[in-house]
Amino acid sequence: ITPLRKVLFLQNFKFMKKIIPLLFFIFTSFIVSAQWRIGVYGGGDLCYRSLHTGNWITNTHTAKIGGLAGVNGQYNFKEWLGVRADLNLQFRNYNSKDTTLNYRNRYLTFPIMANISMGNDRLRGYVNIGGYLGYWTAKKQMLSDNDDYSADPEIKYDFSDTDKRYDAGLVGGLGVSFVCTESIVINLEGMMYYGRLDNGTNALKPGKYPSYDVVMCLNFGISYYFGNL
């Protein structure tokens, strides 16, 4: 090692000896002041599927009640600010206005949101806002209950070449949390998923006129905090 490199190495070593304890102190202080939580939830949803035809948005389907269930994790930087990630399974159901078919679709969604809350030690309101990714995992069609068919009333379909199975968009909602104990919290929230990727279900002109999903959800859940609230 040349003398110059040896001097530079010693200078860098002394600098690292000073900076590493400082970084460790900042990191540990940040972890202690933060809060982790995990939770489970379930509820119902309504899926509004619209077709965009030129300058018009046509709602050719009637929303039907579906369901969803999921898990979430949240990391709070401050008492009022955190980041939340979910993984849920949504059942997006609707009826066709032009035919007697009922559609049942299943999506796996992964939203990531900022969580902003306010309130007291027992009751807090909060806002979630962020984006999501989704994947269309299954679909099937069912004949209407009013139709007298001798055939199997439930038909499961494979995905076609025009179906676009990836979904993404914006997500947001409002909720309220009730603190039961130092670690257990009950949550009630309403969420909206605003899809911005064409799902390819516009049979008239697939690829030219896009089709989007807007999903409204009402969830009830329970969360566990690591550390005192």
Side-chain angles (χ1 to χ4, degrees), residues 10-23:
L10 291 175
Q11 289 178 346
N12 291 333
F13 181 74
K14 292 178 180 179
F15 175 76
M16 293 302 294
K17 284 179 64 178
K18 294 179 180 179
I19 197 66
I20 288 178
L22 178 61
L23 293 176

Side-chain angles (χ1 to χ4, degrees), residues 144-218:
S144 172
D145 296 335
N146 298 326
D147 295 329
D148 184 15
Y149 283 93
S150 59
D152 188 352
E154 184 174 305
I155 309 171
K156 186 175 181 179
Y157 283 91
D158 294 328
F159 290 96
S160 67
D161 294 336
T162 61
D163 290 332
K164 299 178 180 180
R165 301 176 65 179
Y166 290 99
D167 187 24
L170 304 176
V171 60
L174 301 172
V176 61
S177 296
F178 178 74
V179 179
C180 299
T181 69
E182 291 184 350
S183 300
I184 302 298
V185 177
I186 293 175
N187 307 296
L188 180 65
E189 62 184 14
M191 302 286 291
M192 182 178 77
Y193 292 79
Y194 185 65
R196 300 312 301 153
L197 283 186
D198 178 18
N199 52 45
T201 57
N202 188 346
L204 298 177
K205 293 184 177 181
K208 183 176 181 180
Y209 295 148
S211 175
Y212 303 112
D213 282 350
V214 176
V215 184
M216 310 294 292
C217 307
L218 182 64

Side-chain angles (χ1 to χ4, degrees), residues 117-160:
S117 65
M118 63 180 62
N120 53 42
D121 293 338
R122 298 293 292 177
L123 191 65
R124 298 187 66 84
Y126 61 87
V127 176
N128 293 322
I129 184 168
Y132 78 94
L133 298 174
Y135 186 71
W136 192 359
T137 62
K139 73 171 186 176
K140 62 183 178 181
Q141 298 176 1
M142 301 175 63
L143 300 176
S144 172
D145 296 335
N146 298 326
D147 295 329
D148 184 15
Y149 283 93
S150 59
D152 188 352
E154 184 174 305
I155 309 171
K156 186 175 181 179
Y157 283 91
D158 294 328
F159 290 96
S160 67

Side-chain angles (χ1 to χ4, degrees), residues 8 25 28 39 41 44 72 84 87 100 132 135 159 206 219 221-222:
L8 293 175
F25 174 77
T28 54
Y41 62 91
N72 59 37
R84 168 176 160 178
L87 182 65
T100 58
Y132 78 94
Y135 186 71
F159 290 96
N219 307 327
I222 184 169

Side-chain angles (χ1 to χ4, degrees), residues 27 42 101 123 169 223:
F27 178 76
L101 291 176
L123 191 65
S223 299

